[in-house]
Each structure stands twice: as C-alpha cells, then as structure tokens.
Amino acid sequence: MLFTGAFFGFQFIVSLYLQELLGWSSFQTSLALIVIGMDAILAPLLTPMLVERFGNRRVVLGGFAFAVAGYALFLGMGLDWTYAAMLPSTILLGLAFSLGYGPLTIIATDGIAEGEQGLASGLVNTSFQFGAALGLSAVSAVGTFVLGDGESPSERLEALRAALLVPVGATLVGMVIMGMGRGRCTDTSCRLQAG
C-alpha cells in the first residue's frame, strides 16, 4: 500500500509541476514519465534472477531503496529544470518497480492455501488501489496546506516540494516495515513472517 501510494502521489506532483509550472503539454509529460515503464522489460528479465539469488524480501528492499532515492532526487526540482535533471529520478523509479512490485505480490500470496489464493490476490490488489487513493489524497492535502493563499510560481514550487515529502516518507516507512520482517528463505523465495 505504501509502495503504490507513494508512486501515485509522485506522479500527481510531477504532472502538476511539469504542466502548471514548466508549461509542458500532457503529451510531453507522459513522454517524460515513460522511462519509468522500463519495468515492463526489466521485471521479467532481471528480477527473477535476483529473487533466485537473494530472495524476495531483499529484492523488495532494493526496490524501496531505489524509490526513496528517486523521490528524494526530485526534491531538487526548480523552475528551470530540464528533462536531463529529471531523468535520474525516473530511471531509479523504473528500477524500483522492476524490483519491488512482483516480489511484493509473491510475498503477499506465498504460503496461502490454494483455495484462498483468489482472496489473497484480491486483498493485494485492493491494498494497492487503496494505497493509490491515500497517496493522492495525502500529497494533495499537504500541497494545498503549504500553498495556502500563495499564487506565485516559487510558492507553488515550495508546496509541491513539501507534498513530495509524502512519497519519500511513505517509502521510507515501507522500507522499514520490510526490513523488520523476518524472512524464511526457500530455494527461490523468501516468505515474510510477522515479526
């Protein structure tokens, strides 16, 4: 929930930043974020090898670490930022999703009885959707609160930076939760057990 909530909140902030402050079109904004979609290529190629070697939990922790770094790097956004300045964040987030999303779903459903797999899968999907809604709500609330009556570009930029702290914080909390779990590794997976 924290992983997806942070990501959806980040996308919202970046969309506002690029379109309202830098004047980019919707199409340009989507092209700027398309790099994050590298997970569609990397996840099936790279992630299974890493999971086999290190286990799901460690790979997920790596995904969280990349996400924290990507969000934190974007805190430096300015009114004169170029695409090249944003690219490291989007690359890190593509890596984060490559490592995080699949193994998270495996951890959530590993060890569940066959007859309950559908329920477990539904709960995982619901938590991702609920996380997305919470992430959007949280960044909106923080950004609106910090902006107040401000209207200048610099005030709007500061409000977006403050809102971006939500994805950074949520991802750090998720990383701590994953790190505190005790893992029992089998040949190709690491089952997260309550700590």
Side-chain angles (χ1 to χ4, degrees):
M1 190 166 67
L2 293 166
F3 191 71
T4 56
F7 180 65
F8 277 81
F10 171 80
Q11 285 185 60
F12 181 65
I13 292 166
V14 171
S15 295
L16 291 175
Y17 167 68
L18 294 176
Q19 292 180 50
E20 293 185 2
L21 288 179
L22 298 188
W24 290 26
S25 70
S26 298
F27 182 69
Q28 289 171 315
T29 299
S30 64
L31 287 178
L33 295 174
I34 203 166
V35 174
I36 299 170
M38 76 168 88
D39 71 308
I41 297 166
L42 290 180
L45 298 175
L46 176 65
T47 306
M49 291 185 295
L50 293 174
V51 167
E52 188 168 331
R53 181 170 173 91
F54 300 109
N56 283 317
R57 190 168 54 93
R58 288 183 181 161
V59 173
V60 169
L61 282 170
F64 271 101
F66 280 129
V68 168
Y71 300 141
L73 277 175
F74 217 89
L75 285 168
M77 63 184 158
L79 294 173
D80 58 350
W81 248 27
T82 63
Y83 180 68
M86 299 171 216
L87 191 58
S89 287
T90 58
I91 290 171
L92 288 169
L93 291 172
L95 292 171
F97 263 82
S98 297
L99 299 179
Y101 187 78
L104 270 174
T105 59
I106 292 168
I107 289 170
T109 58
D110 192 31
I112 304 296
E114 189 175 318
E116 296 178 352
Q117 284 289 327
L119 174 62
S121 188
L123 288 172
V124 169
N125 200 20
T126 300
S127 74
F128 286 157
Q129 297 300 319
F130 191 61
L134 286 175
L136 284 170
S137 299
V139 298
S140 296
V142 170
T144 301
F145 177 77
V146 171
L147 182 60
D149 293 330
E151 293 185 22
S152 73
S154 62
E155 290 171 317
R156 290 165 59 200
L157 180 64
E158 287 310 310
L160 291 177
R161 278 194 187 127
L164 188 54
L165 292 173
V166 172
V168 172
T171 308
L172 282 171
V173 169
M175 191 173 176
V176 168
I177 291 169
M178 283 300 299
M180 289 174 43
R182 290 187 331 222
R184 183 179 79 213
C185 294
T186 60
D187 289 339
T188 60
S189 69
C190 217
R191 185 178 304 154
L192 183 67
Q193 300 173 340

